[in-house]
Amino acid sequence: MFGYFITALGGVFWLFRVLVMLLYSTDSGFAIVPMNVTFEFVLLFITFVCIVLVAKRKMLGAIIYLIAQCAYFGVDAYKSIEMIMNGTSQTGNYITLFISLIAVIIPLLAVMDIGLSSGKKGSVRNRKTDWFYGTTEYDRNFDERADKNQYKF
């Protein structure tokens, strides 16, 4: 259930970033502006593919998603923190820092969710019945004289 939530949250954040790019390209007065338009445009395509892979529960997609988001939004968060520490911050810097932190937290949660849930599938053995069902020693062997009809009443 948590995996569905993370995937949906990643999709909503992706739609938000598409909206930011559309508003920036139409020169609207929006408080959030992309740091690098070309890189963010490429990042939107990479993120879409990674969200599909995260929905399919593939660890590779989650790791690529984390690396891509940290490469872009990590730098953006660092610049915002640097401006806030220098005292030259504006309201837009706080909003940008908040969005950058969300952008890094979502793929981190996706990696943790897929990593923790994939470890549960490993051991399905049942020691109480493996002595009988785990071998072919007790399988019933049919010969050519066996009745193979399926009688239904």
Side-chain angles (χ1 to χ4, degrees):
M1 191 68 172
F2 186 66
Y4 295 132
F5 176 71
I6 292 298
T7 305
L9 197 61
V12 169
F13 187 76
W14 182 81
L15 288 173
F16 172 72
R17 291 312 294 184
V18 168
L19 180 71
V20 167
M21 283 294 291
L22 288 173
L23 289 176
Y24 181 76
S25 66
T26 59
D27 293 329
S28 298
F30 196 59
I32 302 164
V33 293
M35 186 172 67
N36 185 350
V37 178
T38 307
F39 190 71
E40 183 151 353
F41 189 71
V42 171
L43 183 70
L44 286 174
F45 285 108
I46 292 171
T47 303
F48 181 74
V49 171
C50 290
I51 287 174
V52 170
L53 289 174
V54 167
K56 292 183 176 184
R57 312 295 291 163
K58 303 290 183 188
M59 182 59 99
L60 181 67
I63 290 174
I64 292 172
Y65 185 32
L66 178 66
I67 291 170
Q69 296 288 65
C70 286
Y72 183 75
F73 289 105
V75 174
D76 200 21
Y78 178 74
K79 287 182 179 181
S80 297
I81 290 172
E82 188 177 12
M83 289 182 142
I84 290 170
M85 295 297 270
N86 289 338
T88 60
S89 65
Q90 300 171 349
T91 307
N93 291 343
Y94 292 105
I95 296 171
T96 303
L97 177 63
F98 179 69
I99 290 171
S100 297
L101 289 177
I102 289 174
V104 171
I105 289 172
I106 291 172
L108 185 66
L109 289 175
V111 167
M112 289 182 355
D113 179 52
I114 293 173
L116 289 175
S117 69
S118 66
K120 297 177 185 176
K121 298 177 186 173
S123 62
V124 190
R125 296 189 56 158
N126 187 356
R127 296 186 190 272
K128 293 180 181 178
T129 59
D130 276 351
W131 67 271
F132 185 81
Y133 294 108
T135 64
T136 59
E137 187 177 327
Y138 299 104
D139 287 346
R140 185 172 175 191
N141 295 324
F142 291 104
D143 60 358
E144 65 276 351
R145 296 175 293 149
D147 188 12
K148 296 181 181 80
N149 292 328
Q150 296 179 0
Y151 298 104
K152 296 180 183 175
F153 297 104

